[in-house]
Amino acid sequence: MIKKIEHLGIAVKNIEESNALFAQLLGTAPYKSETVEREGVITSFFQVGESKIELLQATHSDSPIAKYLEKSKEGIHHIALDVDNIEFEIARLKAAGFVLLSDEPKPGADGKKIVFLHPTSTNGVLVELCQDRE
Ligand code: ZN
């Protein structure tokens, strides 16, 4: 089951500047900053009611975020859906013809296991499924 929009991911060039900007916008500091070396990103998370905003800056030029920013401006990069059983949703969506970037969930930021759906099968939107790691 898909429970809610867990967070919106926003690609930024300078996470220090964007942290300050979003802290001002949202009236709260990020509750967490975390580097996910495997994904080539520095992240920070802001709580927004029941959802979150994730800022993402590339750690190196081969990072998916660096490649994204070569083609696109800073802005919304992905939406993340909170699910209660990620393995079930992967099987369900594959059977329905969606293209997933991996067949198995991977460890992501903020204590989640995650998988991405390719934007070619989701109207151009990069969609992340995430579930809390126990
Ligand atoms: Zn995310």
Side-chain angles (χ1 to χ4, degrees), residues 6-9 45 54 56 77-80 109 114 116 128 130:
E6 214 279 336
H7 62 269
L8 296 176
F45 285 88
E54 174 186 28
L56 303 120
H77 173 260
H78 65 270
I79 67 169
I114 65 168
F116 284 96
E128 173 186 356
C130 61

Side-chain angles (χ1 to χ4, degrees), residues 7-99:
H7 62 269
L8 296 176
I10 298 176
V12 303
K13 292 178 182 163
N14 182 321
I15 202 159
E16 295 301 326
E17 288 177 16
S18 296
N19 278 341
L21 178 72
F22 276 82
Q24 207 168 29
L25 174 71
L26 299 169
T28 185
Y31 68 87
K32 172 183 274 192
S33 183
E34 185 178 349
T35 298
V36 184
E37 206 46 69
R38 193 179 45 76
E39 299 284 341
V41 293
I42 305 168
T43 65
S44 57
F45 285 88
F46 293 81
Q47 193 72 45
V48 187
E50 290 196 347
S51 297
K52 298 164 188 165
I53 287 178
E54 174 186 28
L55 303 182
L56 303 120
Q57 180 198 296
T59 56
H60 55 78
S61 59
D62 283 338
S63 157
I65 293 298
K67 298 214 158 102
Y68 176 84
L69 288 174
E70 282 171 16
K71 289 180 277 183
S72 311
K73 294 184 176 175
E74 291 180 296
I76 293 182
H77 173 260
H78 65 270
I79 67 169
L81 303 174
D82 188 20
V83 301
D84 60 357
N85 183 337
I86 197 166
E87 288 82 6
F88 174 86
E89 297 300 335
I90 287 171
R92 182 179 72 83
L93 294 168
K94 276 177 74 174
F98 289 91
V99 179

Side-chain angles (χ1 to χ4, degrees), residues 106-120:
K106 295 178 178 176
D110 203 28
K112 305 287 187 191
K113 45 185 182 177
I114 65 168
V115 69
F116 284 96
L117 278 69
H118 198 282
T120 53

